[in-house]
Amino acid sequence: RIGRHDHFFELGGHSLLAVQMSSRLSQAVGVELPLSTLFARPVLADLAASILEMLSRAGPQELPVIAAVSRHEPLVLSFAQQRLWFLAQLDEGSTNYHIPLAWRLRGRLDRSAWQRSLDRLFARHEALRSVFVAPQGTPRVEVLPPDAGLPVVEHDLQDRVDADAALAELCQQEARRPFDLAHGPLIRGRLIRLSDEEHVFLLTQHHIVSDGWSLGVLVRELSQLYRAFEAGQDDPLPPLAIQYPDYAAWQRQWLSGERLQSQAHYWRNNLSGAPARLDLPTDRPRPAQQSFAGASVPVVIDADLTRGLKQLSRQHGTTLFMTVLAAWAAVLARLSGQDDLVIGVPSANRGRREIEELIGFFVNTLALRLDLSGAPSVSQLLERTRRTALAAQEHQDLPFEQVVEIVQPPRHLDHTPLFQVMLAWQHDAVESFDLAGLSVEAAGEGLDQVRFDLELNLCEHGEEIAGAFGYATALFDEASIERQRGYLLTLLRAMVADAGQPVGRIELLSTAERTYLLEELNRTAAPYPSERCVHQLFEAQVQKAPGAVALVCEDEQLSYGELNARANRLAHHLIALGVKPGDRIATVLDRSVALVVAQLAILKAGGVYVPIDRALPSARQEWLMADCAARLVLYGDDLVEATIPVLAIEPLIVGTGCSSDPGLALSAETAAYVMYTSGSTGLPKGVVVPHRAVNRLVINSGYAKIDAGDRVAWAGNPAFDASTFEVWAPLLNGGCIVAMHAATVRDTPSFARALEQHRVTSLFLTTALFNQYTSSIAPTLAQLKYLLCGGERNDLASFLRLLKEKGPVRLIHCYGPTETTTFATVWTCPADFNGSVVPIGRPIANTRVYLLDGHGAPVP
């Protein structure tokens, strides 16, 4: 019994029941009752008062009814049918809009009663008998005769030893067979006999004649018909007052004029400027054309959490659907880094009493735009979601197809327009069969197609909420979706525990995953000389092999001893000029012997070298010198204009000056160099790098073991941080630098000859050069021991092209901003690599990597 003080939602009301009650009240009392009124005044007495207020203002109104139309005139398609028909013309063989069902029937099946029940169901619903013809290019509906019968193909596998394999093959055949929309029928069955007591029945419908609600009608009526016919009785179902073609005609008449304009205005305003795509992290790049191959993982929200969610919903005037929608939106926002996102929500569109018992394509899709900007609390997000959902439901009559045409989002073949994720809420558990003498259970392997990137399907099942996460297998691995499921459950528990907390700061990661991301992946400690300075480590190599070649530049080469002597002489000159520890010394020099000598000498004098690109305009060079407060400038052939002392380097590194090391006591924590980046503000930004960080990059780093036999090309701009690796990896490990002139690097044949002539074993290339050279000199690059590349997102085709040449020994993709001293992470490409993305890999030795969102929380 329901009393005047009862609360609609506390009695179990939800959005769909609210729509149905609003519709029935409107028809009963002659008042258009907005859905928001019921949510605002959910107690029966208060709602009655609201209705009286409306009646007193405007009086009762006569609302339009759905009436039968003549079958002697052409029958029109509904708006939704028209859109599906159009899509079918674009891809005639598509099975994306099939609704496949598979049931295992155990017990004694009366096949005659079963076929008669199917035929009666087929005759009863004109939607199932509809076909779509377009002799002049404009589609219309034709209805097959009632006695045509629902086609069922029978298979007998009871004596087959390979019955299971044959059954699987028949299921695959059925799934792959397209429908002919012009000839029909658009529903068909297969009855597969496994034994006298066991059958599998496959029923396939095209979405253009059916939907999810229709399945409940179909199961309920098929059960009633079979029970009657099996018992020798007549058809027990009452006749239908209207049919789907009547609804289609009414929809086109009703949704017109001012009502159409109002709804169109709402959706145009609401979705204007919405992001075209939800940028979720995927396990693979998005294919050029959307793939509909899918799989699913189960989702269960246990009874305790469901009770908590119901209480939370009552406190904030939301339905369970709205509360879960808010939570999923928050998870998606955290995963994508977007606080403005659109989620698709199917609407049963069965608000009118006349169409509740019809099979047909009524379902509409609403594009709900969720706003998570401004760090809302759980309570605030629930309120925003409630308003969004109610407004969408009050404007749910405009078909999604028309919304797309009105909003006109960018069209791409790789994703669906307006939204790529969907939340479907089944308000009641799917109807179950009640067949005399038979038990029925679902058969088959479940979901293998999806229409969106992600599809979360849920319903209340007893005291729990249960369902599945459907996902596009072209984008996601099962493990990723299982993690997403965990994030959703974690967020829901946190919402129930504290509705006042900022939703963006709720910890999504489990303890195990947090430990894995923050600790296990960052266990990179390895021994390296963290207490010694760069020049001291170089001097150790000098002591070890003073005659070994340290540097080659075209026809000139220096041994470790000679390089050290020149650097020492220049260091003493600098000290004599007043250079003190910590002073910044700018170098405006190309790759050359002089530049290596200069950098070593500056470090030996306790200074900090600041490489400046010679190609920069003089005004920018002066700005950099002023920004770093350079003590003086060393230059080569071209005089540099500056307001600080400018010294030509060549006279300073020749002669017979003191060639012993200055022997200054310096710490490895002091600065070694300043490297300028482009900066996010438009002005260059100087990054100060200590000696210790250089050592960590090139000694026992884990990704490349440079030693005395290695010859490392110096092909990068000296003002680019890759030069840190190119210069110090060989010099601190006993190897040799091969300095390349810029003209050589730019000319592909010259570059290839130089690599071979100088027997280069290790090379770093920027992404742009890597892509260029793998297209032209891949065989030469394949001879290298180490080929490193990075700087931008890398091209998969370039990697695969190089792997075809069976080399190099190690192909390494590097990532790292200047602030992390050249490389933070690396990925070594395996020889048998056949993946679809080039990852940035994991942290190098003695490096920790944290991936954080805008709130400073670890990204799942």
Side-chain angles (χ1 to χ4, degrees):
R1 291 175 61 101
I2 295 174
R4 59 182 176 171
H5 299 300
D6 280 332
H7 190 290
F8 177 77
F9 295 105
E10 290 179 0
L11 290 173
H14 48 66
S15 299
L16 179 58
L17 282 176
V19 169
Q20 290 181 306
M21 190 174 88
S22 177
S23 172
R24 294 190 192 186
L25 274 172
S26 297
Q27 290 177 290
V29 300
V31 170
E32 290 256 11
L33 183 66
L35 201 58
S36 56
T37 302
L38 176 56
F39 275 79
R41 309 191 75 174
V43 174
L44 183 55
D46 296 338
L47 183 63
S50 295
I51 294 172
L52 285 173
E53 291 171 16
M54 295 179 195
L55 285 171
S56 65
R57 285 199 307 267
Q61 303 168 8
E62 187 173 340
L63 302 178
V65 298
I66 303 176
V69 298
S70 170
R71 294 303 188 265
H72 299 295
E73 300 293 331
L75 297 174
V76 298
L77 287 70
S78 69
F79 292 119
Q81 284 182 325
Q82 186 167 325
R83 176 64 175 168
L84 273 199
W85 179 86
F86 174 74
L87 290 175
Q89 308 316 299
L90 296 179
D91 186 1
E92 292 185 15
S94 172
T95 61
N96 297 334
Y97 288 92
H98 286 192
I99 303 177
L101 300 169
W103 298 303
R104 190 175 295 270
L105 313 175
R106 287 192 169 93
R108 182 70 64 173
L109 174 67
D110 184 332
R111 288 158 62 193
S112 175
W114 183 251
Q115 182 66 59
R116 187 181 170 197
S117 302
L118 293 168
D119 290 342
R120 180 66 199 117
L121 188 78
F122 186 70
R124 176 176 171 79
H125 293 277
E126 285 188 359
L128 298 179
R129 293 188 279 120
S130 296
V131 295
F132 303 85
V133 298
Q136 309 300 322
T138 300
R140 69 170 190 266
V141 175
E142 290 184 354
V143 181
L144 300 175
D147 59 358
L150 193 155
V152 175
V153 178
E154 295 195 18
H155 304 270
D156 191 343
L157 304 180
Q158 65 176 338
D159 295 324
R160 296 271 296 268
V161 293
D162 62 341
D164 290 343
L167 174 61
E169 176 61 27
L170 288 173
C171 291
Q172 285 295 317
Q173 287 179 10
E174 177 60 30
R176 288 193 294 259
R177 190 156 66 96
F179 282 106
D180 182 344
L181 295 190
H183 295 92
L186 302 183
I187 180 173
R188 62 174 183 250
R190 292 195 190 211
L191 182 62
I192 304 165
R193 183 179 181 183
L194 301 176
S195 71
D196 289 342
E197 298 288 325
E198 184 176 3
H199 294 76
V200 169
F201 183 66
L202 308 178
L203 185 69
T204 310
Q205 305 168 81
H206 196 287
H207 202 351
I208 201 167
V209 299
S210 187
D211 60 14
W213 181 294
S214 298
L215 300 185
V217 176
L218 184 149
V219 168
R220 186 168 58 250
E221 292 190 350
L222 197 53
S223 295
Q224 292 176 268
L225 290 167
Y226 180 80
R227 286 200 310 272
F229 294 157
E230 195 269 343
Q233 299 169 1
D234 293 330
D235 179 355
L237 300 175
L240 296 170
I242 61 167
Q243 292 281 349
Y244 187 88
D246 304 317
Y247 161 78
W250 170 86
Q251 182 195 43
R252 290 181 174 272
Q253 180 181 6
W254 182 77
L255 192 59
S256 59
E258 185 178 340
R259 183 178 285 107
L260 175 62
Q261 291 179 9
S262 171
Q263 298 228 358
H265 177 75
Y266 168 80
W267 290 109
R268 184 181 293 110
N269 284 357
N270 183 260
L271 296 175
S272 175
R277 197 175 82 183
L278 183 62
D279 194 17
L280 291 173
T282 59
D283 295 300
R284 285 169 290 283
R286 186 177 293 274
Q289 186 159 347
Q290 183 182 1
S291 167
F292 297 94
S296 66
V297 297
V299 179
V300 176
I301 301 175
D302 63 46
D304 285 344
L305 181 52
T306 298
R307 280 192 294 272
L309 291 171
K310 287 181 176 179
Q311 183 177 358
L312 179 68
S313 301
R314 284 194 295 271
Q315 290 169 349
H316 292 84
T318 59
T319 62
L320 264 180
F321 157 74
M322 295 175 186
T323 300
V324 174
L325 173 66
W328 198 35
V331 171
L332 294 173
R334 293 278 286 277
L335 291 172
S336 66
Q338 297 168 239
D339 57 15
D340 180 11
L341 50 94
V342 182
I343 297 176
V345 173
S347 169
N349 203 20
R350 300 271 187 157
R352 297 188 63 97
R353 181 71 184 89
E354 307 101 296
I355 61 176
E356 286 183 14
E357 300 303 320
L358 290 183
I359 290 176
F361 184 22
F362 294 92
V363 67
N364 194 15
T365 304
L366 309 180
L368 271 57
R369 185 177 186 181
L370 282 305
D371 174 18
L372 288 99
S373 63
S377 66
V378 171
S379 297
Q380 290 169 331
L381 180 59
L382 288 173
E383 172 58 24
R384 292 182 190 181
T385 305
R386 187 176 75 90
R387 288 200 307 266
T388 297
L390 283 178
Q393 286 174 330
E394 289 182 346
H395 297 87
Q396 68 174 305
D397 300 302
L398 190 69
F400 176 71
E401 295 73 29
Q402 292 194 26
V403 173
V404 174
E405 296 303 323
I406 289 167
V407 178
Q408 293 189 337
R411 297 299 187 96
H412 298 281
L413 293 176
D414 64 351
H415 67 267
T416 50
L418 292 184
F419 60 84
Q420 296 82 48
V421 298
M422 175 171 276
L423 172 59
W425 192 276
Q426 187 76 32
H427 287 287
D428 301 297
V430 177
E431 296 261 356
S432 57
F433 276 106
D434 180 12
L435 302 177
L438 290 170
S439 67
V440 185
E441 62 183 35
E445 298 180 357
L447 183 71
D448 64 357
Q449 281 195 329
V450 289
R451 299 190 183 105
F452 303 94
D453 295 353
L454 290 175
E455 300 175 0
L456 178 54
N457 298 278
L458 296 172
C459 71
E460 283 193 72
H461 190 76
E463 296 184 349
E464 298 179 331
I465 299 170
F469 253 119
Y471 61 96
T473 51
L475 300 177
F476 300 103
D477 291 332
E478 183 178 15
S480 298
I481 304 304
E482 289 175 342
R483 283 196 299 273
Q484 285 195 31
R485 175 183 61 189
Y487 303 149
L488 176 61
L489 295 174
T490 298
L491 193 77
L492 288 170
R493 292 188 193 99
M495 289 171 64
V496 168
D498 180 6
Q501 63 183 316
V503 72
R505 293 197 174 274
I506 294 173
E507 177 60 72
L508 295 185
L509 300 177
S510 67
T511 302
E513 187 175 1
R514 185 180 179 86
T515 300
Y516 174 73
L517 290 175
L518 302 186
E519 300 299 332
E520 289 184 31
L521 291 180
N522 282 321
R523 290 197 179 109
T524 61
Y528 78 106
S530 60
E531 305 298 325
R532 303 183 69 187
C533 292
V534 168
H535 57 279
Q536 292 170 339
L537 294 172
F538 168 73
E539 287 157 6
Q541 294 298 329
V542 174
Q543 295 296 319
K544 187 183 296 185
V549 177
L551 172 61
V552 173
C553 185
E554 293 197 326
D555 296 331
E556 184 178 8
Q557 71 177 35
L558 288 183
S559 69
Y560 271 84
E562 291 167 333
L563 177 58
N564 193 43
R566 292 193 189 185
N568 287 340
R569 282 195 291 271
L570 179 57
H572 282 288
H573 277 303
L574 295 175
I575 292 171
L577 290 168
V579 171
K580 297 179 180 62
D583 283 350
R584 280 75 181 266
I585 311 299
T587 60
V588 187
L589 295 159
D590 283 332
R591 296 183 291 276
S592 60
V593 169
L595 181 51
V596 178
V597 171
Q599 291 180 346
L600 265 170
I602 292 166
L603 297 180
K604 286 170 177 280
V608 181
Y609 69 83
V610 185
I612 294 177
D613 188 353
R614 277 187 61 195
L616 290 175
S618 57
R620 176 52 65 91
Q621 290 182 7
E622 283 201 67
W623 187 95
L624 295 173
M625 295 172 196
D627 184 70
C628 72
R631 178 82 167 71
L632 56 86
V633 182
L634 298 176
Y635 72 93
D637 299 333
D638 302 324
L639 180 64
V640 174
E641 298 179 12
T643 57
I644 57 176
V646 178
L647 301 174
I649 191 172
E650 292 296 342
L652 301 176
I653 61 176
V654 296
T656 58
C658 181
S659 61
S660 63
D661 184 79
L664 299 179
L666 300 170
S667 166
E669 294 299 328
T670 60
Y673 67 81
V674 173
M675 195 77 72
Y676 276 87
T677 71
S678 57
S680 57
T681 62
L683 289 175
K685 177 178 59 178
V687 178
V688 182
V689 176
H691 287 254
R692 174 188 49 76
V694 177
N695 303 343
R696 155 252 175 217
L697 173 70
V698 301
I699 297 177
N700 201 21
S701 58
Y703 61 92
K705 189 179 186 308
I706 305 299
D707 55 31
D710 280 299
R711 300 169 69 84
V712 180
W714 187 10
N717 190 315
F720 175 49
D721 66 345
S723 64
T724 307
F725 171 83
E726 294 169 310
V727 170
W728 300 118
L731 290 188
L732 302 193
N733 291 288
C736 174
I737 304 171
V738 178
M740 305 257 187
H741 282 177
T744 301
V745 176
R746 285 194 297 267
D747 183 70
T748 304
S750 298
F751 186 56
R753 281 196 300 272
L755 292 175
E756 294 172 359
Q757 176 186 343
H758 293 291
R759 305 185 312 282
V760 169
T761 62
S762 303
L763 169 67
F764 174 85
L765 292 173
T766 62
T767 300
L769 284 176
F770 178 79
N771 294 340
Q772 174 187 331
Y773 288 148
T774 53
S775 297
S776 53
I777 58 170
T780 299
L781 298 179
Q783 303 307 309
L784 295 167
K785 178 180 176 183
Y786 296 114
L787 176 56
L788 303 91
C789 63
E792 300 173 72
R793 183 174 180 176
N794 226 301
D795 178 39
L796 174 65
S798 297
F799 269 69
L800 298 178
R801 192 158 47 234
L802 195 53
L803 291 176
K804 287 182 179 178
E805 301 293 335
K806 308 299 183 186
V809 176
R810 295 193 80 180
L811 175 57
I812 305 169
H813 187 215
C814 309
Y815 166 80
T818 304
E819 291 84 345
T820 64
T821 315
T822 312
F823 305 148
T825 67
V826 296
W827 174 73
T828 301
C829 181
D832 58 351
F833 174 66
N834 61 356
S836 54
V837 66
V838 179
I840 64 170
R842 295 191 175 184
I844 68 172
N846 300 300
T847 304
R848 295 174 72 87
V849 171
Y850 301 98
L851 185 59
L852 308 178
D853 63 17
H855 301 286
V859 173

